[in-house]
């Protein structure tokens, strides 16, 4: 009965997507990210001088609007190359390839910042569900599920020793009015924070908590500590 109630209210969708994303993808690729970065830096030492950026930057747009081509999403984002790929046998597929792309992000002062960045692909499923009559998934439900996905994924990754310091989640709400370079500014902001964190570590200081970034505290979602997610809160976001 509880399972049927959960199915009807769609409370388990984002929870399942987050766990599937972690177990089926992030837990596989994140432990190998720094090795790929090290290999790349041996050939191009100047592009990734800040070790704090040696991680996978995961974009989480709460609109679930995922663009397959980052260069088309923002002209200040330019593809550079692919990092060393990982090849594994997976679920019957021999030599399944996992790889990440490195991008150059141009800021407002025309400076280039380099990082590996990609969207959280399960958001495409949430978006598709909101467009499919069979799923009966409203835009409001999609937004709440996107926030729940982010909070659940954040909690999972925080508890993962294998993935520690190998990722950065970048959750954001797109502005109502179109801004040509909103995405590049969002990514650059996080890269700047990572540079400051590295400087703080070198100076043996603790970095300050960002005051303008969209983080889990801003999302005001109640995440269940049990196997079944609890009803979402919508009063604070």
């Amino acid at each position: 009965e509880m399972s049927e109630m959960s199915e009807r209210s769609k409370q388990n969708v984002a929870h399942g997507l987050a766990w599937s994303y972690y177990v089926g993808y992030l837990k596989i690729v994140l432990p190998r990210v720094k090795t790929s970065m090290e290999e790349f830096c041996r050939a191009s030492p100047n592009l990734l001088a800040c070790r704090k950026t040696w991680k996978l930057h995961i974009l989480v747009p709460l609109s679930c609007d995922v663009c397959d081509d980052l260069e088309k999403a923002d002209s200040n984002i330019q593809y550079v190359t692919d990092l060393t790929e990982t090849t594994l046998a997976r679920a019957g597929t021999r030599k399944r390839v996992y790889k990440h792309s490195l991008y150059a992000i141009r800021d407002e002062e025309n400076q280039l910042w380099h990082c590996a960045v990609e969207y959280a692909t399960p958001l495409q499923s949430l978006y598709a569900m909101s467009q499919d009559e069979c799923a009966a998934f409203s835009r409001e439900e999609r937004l709440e599920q996107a926030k729940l996905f982010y909070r659940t994924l954040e909690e999972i990754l925080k508890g993962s020793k294998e993935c520690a310091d190998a990722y950065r989640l970048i959750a954001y709400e797109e502005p109502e009015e179109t801004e040509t370079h909103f995405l590049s500014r969002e990514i650059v902001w996080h890269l700047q924070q990572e540079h400051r964190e590295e400087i703080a570590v070198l100076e043996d200081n603790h970095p300050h908590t960002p005051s303008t970034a969209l983080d889990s505290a801003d999302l005001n979602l109640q995440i269940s500590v049990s196997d079944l997610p609890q009803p979402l809160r919508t009063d604070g976001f």
Side-chain angles (χ1 to χ4, degrees), residues 165-176:
D165 202 34
Y167 68 92
R168 190 176 184 101
L169 298 179
I170 303 178
Y172 60 90
E173 282 189 293
E174 296 175 341
E176 293 183 3

Side-chain angles (χ1 to χ4, degrees), residues 45-186:
N46 296 325
L47 293 187
L48 292 170
C50 176
R51 295 183 68 91
K52 275 288 183 178
T53 64
W54 290 15
K55 57 187 66 174
L56 183 62
H57 298 76
I58 303 171
L59 302 176
V60 186
L62 299 182
S63 67
C64 297
D65 188 6
V66 173
C67 183
D68 290 326
D69 191 336
L70 279 170
E71 293 178 306
K72 291 182 179 179
D74 190 322
S75 60
N76 277 350
I77 303 175
Q78 296 295 318
Y79 168 79
V80 177
T81 188
D82 289 332
L83 298 176
T84 304
E85 62 187 35
T86 297
T87 304
L88 300 171
R90 187 74 175 169
T93 300
R94 300 182 63 185
K95 298 183 179 180
R96 176 166 290 182
V97 175
Y98 299 87
K99 65 180 179 180
H100 311 292
S101 296
L102 188 75
Y103 288 88
I105 320 295
R106 190 177 301 277
D107 65 17
E108 295 177 340
E109 297 178 357
N110 215 33
Q111 178 181 350
L112 291 178
W113 302 73
H114 294 83
C115 69
V117 59
E118 64 189 44
Y119 285 100
T121 52
L123 295 178
Q124 290 180 311
S125 297
L126 285 177
Y127 188 86
M129 289 178 70
S130 69
Q131 304 297 308
D132 195 313
E133 293 182 0
C134 295
F137 213 58
S138 71
R139 180 177 298 181
E140 291 75 18
E141 288 172 323
R142 183 184 71 196
L143 175 60
E144 293 188 355
Q145 289 296 308
K147 290 186 281 186
L148 179 57
F149 170 83
Y150 171 74
R151 286 291 302 275
T152 305
L153 182 61
E154 183 184 49
E155 290 300 316
I156 294 171
L157 288 171
K158 280 182 178 179
S160 174
K161 295 180 180 179
E162 301 98 324
C163 300
D165 202 34
Y167 68 92
R168 190 176 184 101
L169 298 179
I170 303 178
Y172 60 90
E173 282 189 293
E174 296 175 341
E176 293 183 3
E177 297 183 3
T178 302
E179 294 185 24
T180 307
H181 300 302
F182 169 79
L183 184 56
S184 58
R185 286 199 302 271
E186 191 74 16

Side-chain angles (χ1 to χ4, degrees), residues 21-32 157 160 162-163:
Y21 185 47
Y22 167 70
V23 174
Y25 179 64
L26 295 181
K27 192 175 182 180
I28 298 170
V29 302
L30 289 182
R32 298 170 170 83
L157 288 171
S160 174
E162 301 98 324
C163 300

